[in-house]
Amino acid sequence: MLSKRCKYALKAMVCLARVYQKGHMTIASIAEQENIPKKFLEQILLELKRVKLVNSKKGLAGGYYLVKDPSEVSVADLHRIFDGPIALAPCVSLNYYEPCDDCLDEQTCYLRHQFIEIRDKTRKSMSEATLQRFIENQ
């Protein structure tokens, strides 16, 4: 399940994607439009800025804006930032691999083989769900 933090990040990013290369948005306007608590949103935007998905401009006409094109940012990207691996088990994670404590042999593990298939399908769907697609489907 998507955490509230990740869901709010997605909503904020879609909001910024709507004005991509047209201007900036303040935290207050994003929070109001997307019904996100302002303090929570501040933390989320700072994290997104740290990973270089958004940036901010100070001043009267300032605010936050997307750094990448909306077609290049996916649910998979945001999930990895806020919720960690997409995989159901650490032994099938592409970015956060760890062997399982209870597994004697990964090659013959019946769970691992099925979890790899689930991971691949989930990752594909989440990668295809870009900010641009959310805008197009509104």
Side-chain angles (χ1 to χ4, degrees), residues 13-111:
M13 292 291 282
V14 170
C15 194
L16 291 172
R18 286 189 208 109
V19 297
Y20 180 65
Q21 294 187 330
K22 296 176 191 166
H24 307 87
M25 293 189 74
T26 64
I27 290 174
S29 63
I30 297 169
E32 185 178 326
Q33 282 183 36
E34 299 298 332
N35 196 27
I36 302 171
K38 191 176 168 188
K39 284 289 184 190
F40 200 17
L41 181 59
E42 287 173 1
Q43 296 170 0
I44 290 167
L45 289 171
L46 284 174
E47 181 64 18
L48 291 169
K49 187 175 179 178
R50 188 187 69 74
V51 297
K52 298 181 179 14
L53 287 179
V54 302
N55 205 348
S56 62
K57 182 179 176 185
K58 294 182 181 181
L60 194 56
Y64 281 86
Y65 60 94
L66 283 182
V67 174
K68 290 185 171 185
D69 187 282
S71 65
E72 296 176 8
V73 181
S74 70
V75 171
D77 299 326
L78 297 174
H79 188 280
R80 285 186 184 107
I81 293 165
F82 293 101
D83 291 345
I86 293 170
L88 292 176
C91 69
V92 298
S93 177
L94 295 175
N95 298 319
Y96 304 93
Y97 171 84
E98 287 182 26
C100 293
D101 298 340
D102 58 329
C103 189
L104 300 175
D105 180 16
E106 284 185 358
Q107 300 306 316
T108 59
C109 178
Y110 63 92
L111 292 178

Side-chain angles (χ1 to χ4, degrees), residues 86-89 91-94 97 106-107 109-124:
I86 293 170
L88 292 176
C91 69
V92 298
S93 177
L94 295 175
Y97 171 84
E106 284 185 358
Q107 300 306 316
C109 178
Y110 63 92
L111 292 178
R112 187 171 193 273
H113 294 294
Q114 190 62 44
F115 284 173
I116 288 171
E117 186 177 326
I118 293 167
R119 178 209 61 206
D120 290 345
K121 289 178 181 177
T122 303
R123 190 173 65 87
K124 182 179 185 297

